[in-house]
Each structure stands twice: as structure tokens, then as C-alpha cells.
Amino acid sequence: MKRIFQYSALLLLVLLISSCGKTDTNSPSGSASDSPANTNTSADAPSYFGEWSVQSIVGSTPVSAAEDEKLIGMRVTYSIEKASFDKDEIMSPEYKEENITKDDYFNEYRNELSDLGIETESVKTVSINNWTNPGSSSIVKDDQTMIFLWDGNYYEMKKEKK
């Protein structure tokens, strides 16, 4: 009986410690209840915030579905309040930014970044937690261009001019 109590106490301790995760304080996401010092104005908003439109298909993975031409022309929005792809949206999205080297990208997706027109040694990727729609994970090519992968095909988005 004593041994069961010890194992239970150890398990409880492990669960308690594992629930204390690291918080990403550099995340661009937030909510309307954030302090005024953490509100995103246009000057400090991430470059991927704004209105985008899907322009073209720029490549595919070795295993992919047929290209979906219906995605061309669709509008995409990223902001602190919502993310949307055409009529699908998520309110208060949680964005996760990650820098990935071209070697790590190849190992993960079996595609060279150069095949997508990206000649840098690493890229920033942005994903939205708990959202599995087109545009929920993108590569930031530059301030005006992003690429997302959907069903094995890469689609390029351009930022809309205001």
C-alpha cells in the first residue's frame, strides 16, 4: 500500500511539473484584453497582418492532390482579432512564428525552398493554432508575398494594397 502511495505521489509530481510549460512572450497574438503596451498598431504589427489574395500555384510536394484552381483569387485576412480564408474564419487566432533553415525545411517537406523562389538560408513560417484550413500555415517569402501548402500544393498570396 505504501508503494502505491509513493507511485501516486510521484505521478502527481510529474504531472504538476509537466503542466508548467514555457510561455512564448514574443508571440504576436493577443486579445482585446491585453494591456495597452501590448496592443498591435499598424507600426508594430507583424508583416503578415493584413488582407491577402491567392494569386497562383507555385509548386507541389512529391505526393500531392490535384491542384485546386478554385483557391486562386480567394481573400485571406490575418489580424489580431481574426484570421479568415474566404468564408472560413477563426476569432482571436493564436499565431506561432518559427524560423526554419532550408535544410530543415527540406527534411520536413521534401521540397527545396529554391523551388518556391526562396533563395535565403532560412525562412519565417507562421501557423495558427487550432485552425486547419488553407492559409493556416504559411511561409513568409517577403513583406508582400506568402506561400501556403494545401493538399501537397504550394499557393502564393500577395498582400492587397490599401
Side-chain angles (χ1 to χ4, degrees):
M1 184 67 144
K2 185 177 180 182
R3 185 158 316 278
I4 291 174
F5 177 74
Q6 288 173 337
Y7 286 129
S8 297
L10 181 60
L11 179 62
L12 183 61
L13 182 61
V14 168
L15 289 172
L16 181 64
I17 291 172
S18 67
S19 68
C20 299
K22 181 180 175 187
T23 312
D24 184 4
T25 58
N26 293 324
S27 175
S29 67
S31 66
S33 64
D34 284 348
S35 67
N38 195 25
T39 57
N40 280 324
T41 63
S42 60
D44 65 352
S47 64
Y48 53 87
F49 275 16
E51 303 287 327
W52 299 80
S53 66
V54 181
Q55 299 291 310
S56 62
I57 299 168
V58 293
S60 61
T61 61
V63 177
S64 61
E67 298 172 347
D68 190 351
E69 296 284 338
K70 292 182 283 185
L71 295 178
I72 307 297
M74 288 194 172
R75 300 279 188 242
V76 184
T77 301
Y78 300 109
S79 71
I80 198 163
E81 294 86 17
K82 75 174 184 175
S84 66
F85 189 95
D86 194 35
K87 294 178 180 132
D88 296 317
E89 66 181 33
I90 183 172
M91 302 308 288
S92 301
E94 295 178 24
Y95 298 93
K96 178 183 175 193
E97 295 180 11
E98 185 177 10
N99 287 315
I100 185 169
T101 66
K102 67 180 183 179
D103 292 336
D104 287 343
Y105 192 85
F106 179 79
N107 290 334
E108 179 79 20
Y109 296 98
R110 295 293 182 229
N111 278 94
E112 297 286 349
L113 288 173
S114 60
D115 293 341
L116 302 174
I118 300 172
E119 301 298 333
T120 58
E121 291 297 312
S122 66
V123 292
K124 179 191 296 187
T125 61
V126 178
S127 58
I128 302 171
N129 293 336
N130 301 319
W131 201 46
T132 55
N133 290 39
S136 62
S137 182
S138 300
I139 300 168
V140 179
K141 184 174 179 182
D142 57 49
D143 287 348
Q144 300 299 312
T145 312
M146 289 201 304
I147 298 170
F148 69 90
L149 177 63
W150 189 251
D151 287 342
N153 297 298
Y154 290 95
Y155 297 83
E156 186 174 80
M157 297 185 291
K158 292 288 186 178
K159 197 169 211 174
E160 295 288 316
K161 308 279 189 238
K162 289 205 173 196

